[in-house]
């Protein structure tokens, strides 16, 4: 939709031979024409602010409205006022649909200026803009309830009914191409108006922990997969769930079991093996055996259960796309909303493009996973696309608190943060001691000592592929 507005603004600029700017009725910038003149006065403070901040101040709005633009049905000429930051005369073309003003097109006026015929042709273009704005306003006017119902509904007939209601409200747009965006945390009381964001079909706030109470993360459109997770390592896991969590992580590791073990044992010895050869001597096997943890459930204290219902609020956005590989409308909306919600502390995720509404629940899972990944790994953010988050696709889909497997629980305590970081960097560098030591800025012997402490705390053997995979997953998942 934004592309449609830009094309119409460019058409107006070419028709009148002056740069045009389109704003909504709240003076929010929608699109603007290129300015290639050497005349610096054309970029006066009002126009510059409108383009850079995408809005005008209340004082500027009141000043322009004082010329009756909200009531006008045709072009309105507005004289320059340097004291107000308006250095050039302007022409305002009201954008109306069925008698209701929906926005304004602004033109810089100069002698001799556009002819009456040109202005009449320009008003015909503004009528087309008005139709687009009206369609967008109708589509996004009051769909938060319908959109939220889809994201929080139980699978089955409840979900199908929620999708049908949203499809009916969206009309023909429902079968178009969309992307779902998640912005979190969203600490404002309400969602912004959909009409203030070009291309947005619907948006709503979603409480993390809302939705079905049973089933894994893969079964819930918007429940436990959201950023209700506490960011701090060592916090909360399901009481009595150690066996299940360890089994789940080990089952995933098992898929790479034989090959991982072979990789760990073949070729050059790993850093862990080299370390033990230098320091453990003949007692190494016995020492490793002694370090193995007790069976899960036997004298292993359970960590406190995390309350996912108090994870806060996220903003969900449904954005129209023109093609499956053109994510600009979704990325622009995500970044604008993220910035307005708090900037550095807020992340956003964008799901894969889909046609129609049937898979909105899956798209919401993707968007929340991408937002969580952006928060966990700064190189992905602050706005991350599902297609770019790599292993976090799988990690975000694991049951809550997989990182609190008894084997890694002690390592993830705040007092062992440096050891956990060392282990993660070591595994990120495929167990190569030289690269790891260089990345951490430490001596190899210091690295070997830290890795031996990691083995002591976890009971895991860093020469064993499955143990390394379990530890790597747990460390990555702890960020979520």
């Amino acid at each position: 939709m934004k592309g449609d507005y830009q094309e119409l603004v460019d058409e107006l600029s070419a028709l009148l031979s002056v740069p045009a700017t389109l704003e909504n009725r709240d003076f929010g910038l929608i699109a603007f024409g290129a300015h290639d003149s050497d005349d610096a006065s054309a970029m006066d403070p009002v126009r510059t602010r409108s383009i850079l901040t995408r809005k005008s101040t209340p004082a500027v709005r009141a000043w322009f409205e004082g010329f009756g633009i909200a009531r006008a049905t045709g072009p309105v000429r507005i004289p320059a006022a340097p004291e107000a930051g308006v250095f050039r005369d302007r022409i305002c073309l009201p954008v109306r649909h069925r008698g209701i003003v929906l926005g304004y097109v602004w033109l810089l006026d100069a002698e001799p200026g556009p002819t009456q015929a040109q202005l009449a042709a320009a008003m015909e273009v503004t009528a087309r803009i008005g139709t687009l704005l009206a369609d967008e306003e109708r589509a996004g006017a009051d769909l938060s309830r319908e959109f939220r119902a889809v994201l929080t509904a139980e699978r089955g007939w409840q979900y199908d009914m929620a999708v049908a209601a949203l499809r009916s409200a969206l009309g023909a747009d429902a079968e178009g191409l969309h992307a779902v965006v998640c912005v979190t945390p969203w600490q404002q009381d309400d969602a912004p108006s959909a009409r203030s964001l070009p291309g947005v079909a619907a948006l709503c706030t979603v409480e993390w922990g809302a939705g079905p109470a049973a089933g894994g993360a893969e079964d819930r459109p918007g429940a436990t997969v959201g950023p209700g997770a506490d960011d701090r390592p060592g916090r909360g896991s399901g009481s009595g769930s150690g066996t299940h969590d360890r089994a789940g992580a080990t089952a995933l590791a098992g898929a790479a079991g034989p090959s991982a073990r072979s990789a760990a044992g073949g070729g050059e010895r790993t850093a862990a093996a080299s370390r033990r050869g230098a320091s453990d001597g003949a007692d190494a096997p016995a020492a490793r055996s002694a370090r193995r943890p007790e069976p899960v459930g036997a004298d292993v204290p359970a960590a406190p259960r995390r309350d996912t219902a108090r994870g806060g609020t996220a903003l969900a956005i449904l954005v129209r796309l023109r093609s499956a590989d053109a994510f600009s409308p979704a990325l622009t909306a995500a970044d604008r909303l993220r910035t307005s919600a708090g900037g550095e502390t807020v992340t956003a995720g964008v799901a894969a493009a889909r046609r129609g509404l049937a898979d909105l629940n899956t798209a919401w899972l993707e968007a929340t996973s991408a937002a969580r990944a952006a928060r966990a790994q700064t190189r992905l953010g602050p706005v991350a696309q599902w297609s770019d988050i790599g292993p976090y696709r799988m990690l975000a889909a694991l049951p809550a608190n997989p990182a609190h497997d008894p084997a890694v629980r002690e390592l993830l305590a705040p007092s062992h943060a440096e050891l956990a970081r060392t282990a993660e960097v070591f595994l990120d560098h495929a167990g190569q001691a030289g690269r790891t030591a260089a990345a951490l800025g430490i001596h190899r012997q210091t690295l070997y000592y830290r890795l031996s402490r990691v083995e002591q705390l976890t009971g895991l053997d860093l020469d064993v592929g499955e143990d390394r995979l379990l530890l790597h997953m747990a460390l990555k998942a702890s960020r979520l």
Side-chain angles (χ1 to χ4, degrees):
M1 189 71 74
K2 181 176 174 61
D4 295 332
Y5 291 130
Q6 188 62 57
E7 290 172 4
L8 291 170
V9 168
D10 290 342
E11 182 179 339
L12 282 169
S13 298
L15 175 65
L16 302 173
S17 300
V18 293
T21 301
L22 171 63
E23 295 179 337
N24 61 26
R25 60 185 164 197
D26 296 322
F27 284 62
L29 182 67
I30 297 176
F32 61 91
H35 176 75
D36 55 6
S37 171
D38 293 331
D39 183 5
S41 67
M43 291 300 293
D44 59 28
V46 170
R47 179 176 170 82
T48 300
R49 178 184 174 85
S50 174
I51 292 174
L52 293 180
T53 67
R54 309 192 73 84
K55 61 184 178 181
S56 296
T57 65
V60 168
R61 175 177 176 173
W63 190 80
F64 280 121
E65 287 179 338
F67 290 89
I69 60 175
R71 301 184 301 275
T73 57
V76 178
R77 279 189 159 85
I78 299 174
E83 69 279 5
V86 181
F87 294 166
R88 293 280 297 274
D89 294 350
R90 279 168 166 74
I91 298 177
C92 176
L93 307 181
V95 178
R96 292 180 171 273
H97 181 74
R98 296 183 178 177
I100 299 175
V101 64
L102 300 177
Y104 306 99
V105 171
W106 298 96
L107 311 169
L108 296 177
D109 197 10
E111 294 296 336
T115 66
Q116 289 300 317
Q118 286 177 310
L119 289 175
M123 288 303 296
E124 293 179 2
V125 179
T126 65
R128 288 152 55 195
I129 295 175
T131 299
L132 285 179
L133 286 172
D135 289 343
E136 190 164 332
E137 185 174 88
R138 183 178 63 253
D142 189 23
L143 300 183
S144 59
R145 182 177 60 182
E146 289 84 353
F147 190 29
R148 185 183 298 109
V150 172
L151 301 183
T152 59
E154 297 272 0
R155 283 186 180 273
W157 66 268
Q158 291 177 318
Y159 178 75
D160 293 341
M161 288 186 64
V163 170
L166 181 59
R167 182 181 292 115
S168 175
L170 285 173
D173 281 348
E175 301 309 316
L177 201 63
H178 299 92
V180 173
V181 176
C182 170
V183 177
T184 180
W186 186 260
Q187 298 177 342
Q188 301 178 25
D189 293 336
D190 299 310
S193 169
R195 67 172 178 264
S196 66
L197 298 161
V200 171
L203 41 73
C204 67
T205 56
V206 179
E207 294 292 331
W208 293 113
E218 67 276 11
D219 293 328
R220 280 176 273 180
T224 60
V225 296
D230 194 319
D231 288 334
R232 295 167 292 178
R235 301 284 177 162
S237 73
S239 177
S241 63
T243 303
H244 171 76
D245 288 346
R246 176 68 183 269
T250 305
L252 288 169
S259 60
R261 290 181 184 276
S262 176
E268 296 184 1
R269 291 187 303 165
T270 64
S274 299
R275 177 189 70 255
R276 286 194 295 271
S279 60
D280 291 351
D283 295 332
R288 287 199 300 273
S289 176
R291 291 196 301 263
R292 287 289 179 183
E294 293 295 325
V296 176
D299 301 326
V300 177
R305 179 177 293 275
R306 181 181 61 198
D307 181 9
T308 58
R310 59 181 177 87
T313 304
L315 182 69
I317 310 104
L318 183 64
V319 184
R320 305 180 189 90
L321 301 179
R322 302 189 70 181
S323 64
D325 57 353
F327 276 83
S328 178
L331 295 173
T332 299
D335 192 58
R336 286 179 59 184
L337 289 166
R338 184 192 66 81
T339 301
S340 69
E344 294 182 0
T345 62
V346 181
T347 59
V350 182
R354 286 175 171 81
R355 191 169 296 280
L357 307 178
D359 296 325
L360 279 184
N361 51 358
T362 302
W364 179 234
L365 285 174
E366 292 178 359
T368 57
S369 297
R372 295 173 65 200
R375 186 178 60 181
Q377 191 65 260
T378 55
R379 65 178 176 80
L380 297 173
V383 178
Q385 292 184 243
W386 163 256
S387 59
D388 296 335
I389 64 174
Y392 285 99
R393 295 188 191 184
M394 178 182 68
L395 294 173
L398 290 174
N401 298 321
H404 301 114
D405 182 285
V408 296
R409 184 181 298 148
E410 188 174 356
L411 178 64
L412 292 175
S415 59
H416 297 307
E418 191 61 35
L419 289 178
R421 176 172 173 264
T422 298
E424 184 172 4
V425 174
F426 174 69
L427 295 168
D428 284 345
H429 287 84
Q432 297 183 26
R435 292 175 59 201
T436 304
L440 292 171
I442 60 176
H443 194 274
R444 282 198 185 205
Q445 291 304 318
T446 302
L447 172 65
Y448 295 153
Y449 169 74
R450 290 184 184 179
L451 294 178
S452 69
R453 288 284 293 129
V454 169
E455 287 190 327
Q456 290 169 6
L457 289 170
T458 63
L460 299 175
D461 187 342
L462 295 182
D463 276 343
V464 177
E466 290 184 358
D467 283 6
R468 289 167 68 161
L469 180 57
L470 172 60
L471 180 59
H472 207 180
M473 292 172 60
L475 291 168
K476 295 294 186 187
S478 68
R479 299 175 182 275
L480 297 173

